[in-house]
Amino acid sequence: MTLRIDISGLSGERVRFAASPLAELTAMLHVLAEPGHHPQLADWAGDVWAALPPELAERLREAEFLWRSSQADFLIPGRPRPTLAEELDDVDRIDDERYVTAALVTTCGSNRVHFAGTSPLTDATARERALEVAQARGAVQEAFAERLLGDPAAVRARVRDTLEQCASAFFDAAWTGAAVRLATDLRLKNDLLRRQGLVAALASVSGAVTLAADGDCIVVDKLQDKATSAHGSGVTFIPSVFGRPHLVAVHAPGWHPVVQYAVAEPAPAEPVPLETVTLRLEALAHPVRLRLLRTLARGPHTTGELAHAWELSPPEVSRHLAVLRRAGLVTARRQGRYVRHTLNVSDLTALGTDLLAAVLR
């Protein structure tokens, strides 16, 4: 079973990678609601719950169906903004019917509630169905649904205020560290997209995300058979530190297609040896090798091409490339008569983290 996102006929901007404060806050709220899904974050969740003011803790429990089993679509922005406040402003611009319908999607996967084009705000049958499903989910959720249908403006204001309180209670502190990892992941993804194309970029997101053979459809391996179109908007991929192991997809009609994926773990299973870190620092200390890496960052090159680009002799370039290969910063691969050298972007990016780990251990 799969979710298929139609990208046929779209321009080069059909796929974008961007971080979203609101989406990451939503991932954190899901961890707090379902800590069993995230054993690696159990200590963090316990500390947050212990420190929450009682009123805020109660507010999170009353609204948790917005992010517990599935996330309301307006909490995963199709057009991420730099700050949480800006993204909440965008949510405020959504009309009541779209907001309420999205909020009442209370189950996950193929069992999502659909209102067949009707609004539970104006259609009695849709309203009755929404309350019936909410009732089956428990008294707290039923009460929330009744308030939402009775006074959408008041509930929307309360939800926004709750999310703003989360910012000062725990989100701002967690976001400071998460944002660094998200920025690193975005550099890698956008570099892959620019240099190697969409297939490589999607492969780096998850083994569950692929490009169809005809190039017209992104396929997400999910426990559902769904389809949506990215025409007129493209697809947004949002990295998440707190989202592991989930792969969240916004695909409802009328919403911008979004995929929120977990970033790779920040460190390998085994520490990088100090000798390797030293080799890499020494390799980067020479200005000629930095120039060669600058060229390789634009794509694979042969020794002759590098020599020509920097007006160096091929033997001199070969000596510097040998140092870079020993340090693991460059890979050589033969293609017919030529040997092409490629920059190992991930190892170069991780050097700062590896250095800190080597110093602290």
Side-chain angles (χ1 to χ4, degrees), residues 249-270:
V250 174
H251 57 79
W255 292 91
H256 182 119
V258 183
V259 176
Q260 184 186 37
Y261 64 92
V263 302
E265 293 298 328
E270 295 295 330

Side-chain angles (χ1 to χ4, degrees), residues 200-278:
L202 294 180
S204 72
V205 167
S206 167
V209 182
T210 57
L211 186 66
D214 60 9
D216 286 342
C217 184
I218 294 173
V219 181
V220 184
D221 187 20
K222 296 277 285 182
L223 290 176
Q224 54 191 339
D225 280 316
K226 299 290 181 181
T228 188
S229 172
H231 292 174
S233 60
V235 185
T236 300
F237 284 84
I238 298 177
S240 174
V241 171
F242 284 78
R244 182 175 301 280
H246 303 302
L247 188 64
V248 178
V250 174
H251 57 79
W255 292 91
H256 182 119
V258 183
V259 176
Q260 184 186 37
Y261 64 92
V263 302
E265 293 298 328
E270 295 295 330
V272 174
L274 179 58
E275 179 184 1
T276 299
V277 175
T278 303

Side-chain angles (χ1 to χ4, degrees), residues 25 29 32 48-49 51-64 67 158-171:
L25 171 56
L29 291 171
L32 293 176
V48 170
W49 277 118
L52 281 181
E55 182 188 357
L56 179 55
E58 182 59 30
R59 282 187 175 209
L60 293 185
R61 293 187 181 98
E62 78 176 23
E64 69 177 13
W67 49 73
R158 182 174 174 85
V159 169
R160 172 164 184 156
D161 183 62
T162 299
L163 297 177
E164 289 174 334
Q165 289 190 41
C166 289
S168 57
F170 62 87
F171 173 74

